[in-house]
Amino acid sequence: VYNVAPVVECDNKRVLLSPTAIVGSLAPGQGVRYRAAVVGKSNLRSGTATFKVSFGTGKEKVTAKTFRINTRR
């Protein structure tokens, strides 16, 4: 595949994510590591933030990973 862009989303509006990086190409069976900057705003509250990493658009969107991180003020 070529020009793969992972979609990283967070359900907490007080968490900011860096822009998505585009992976130029992936050969069959090849993987890639992706690093994003995650920053909590000054008004972040204690609780959890749920993140979802997916690929594709619209009905063709496939979720690769969902995870939670605890947040603290």
Side-chain angles (χ1 to χ4, degrees), residues 10-12 15 47-51 67-71:
C10 180
D11 69 343
N12 191 325
V15 173
T48 61
T50 302
F51 294 85
F67 59 95
R68 291 185 185 155
I69 295 178
N70 292 328
T71 60

Side-chain angles (χ1 to χ4, degrees), residues 32-61:
V32 66
R33 288 185 184 255
Y34 174 76
R35 186 179 290 186
V38 179
V39 177
K41 291 184 179 180
S42 61
N43 60 351
L44 181 65
R45 297 180 183 157
S46 296
T48 61
T50 302
F51 294 85
K52 182 167 62 170
V53 180
S54 56
F55 297 89
T57 58
K59 293 182 179 181
E60 299 296 320
K61 195 183 243 186

Side-chain angles (χ1 to χ4, degrees), residues 1-2 4 25-32:
V1 294
Y2 299 94
V4 178
S25 66
L26 285 174
Q30 184 182 13
V32 66

Side-chain angles (χ1 to χ4, degrees), residues 1-18:
V1 294
Y2 299 94
N3 298 324
V4 178
V7 179
V8 182
E9 301 170 299
C10 180
D11 69 343
N12 191 325
K13 295 185 190 274
R14 294 180 173 110
V15 173
L16 303 174
L17 299 169
S18 61

